Amino acid sequence: MALAQVACLSPSQFHAQVKDCDGLTPHQYLLKTRLDHAARLLRESTLPLIRIAEECGFSSQSALTTAMHRYLG
């Protein structure tokens, strides 16, 4: 994991420290950040959903929709 190397930690140490700090795993934190950005773009921009999905790092519009549904319930 590149972030663990930057922090001079092993991947397991990095995972544990991020979880202790934020209460989320690094993957959960990244997904939450991407979904929060997507939600902000949906509210504040006129971009089509496919462009928002691409800009937020999702492979497709349906991947964003599925992740958003799981995140928001």
Side-chain angles (χ1 to χ4, degrees):
M1 173 185 260
L3 291 175
Q5 289 176 344
V6 170
C8 298
L9 298 169
S10 72
S12 61
Q13 290 172 320
F14 180 77
H15 185 276
Q17 286 197 12
V18 170
K19 187 159 185 174
D20 286 346
C21 182
D22 294 321
L24 300 170
T25 67
H27 179 264
Q28 290 169 330
Y29 178 82
L30 178 60
L31 181 59
K32 179 185 179 306
T33 301
R34 290 167 57 205
L35 289 170
D36 288 345
H37 182 59
R40 190 170 39 258
L41 289 174
L42 285 167
R43 284 190 310 270
E44 298 173 2
S45 78
T46 58
L47 290 172
L49 189 54
I50 187 63
R51 287 285 299 124
I52 291 172
E54 290 170 351
E55 185 168 321
C56 295
F58 291 93
S59 61
S60 66
Q61 177 178 326
S62 65
L64 171 60
T65 303
T66 299
M68 190 69 77
H69 180 43
R70 286 183 185 151
Y71 178 62
L72 296 176

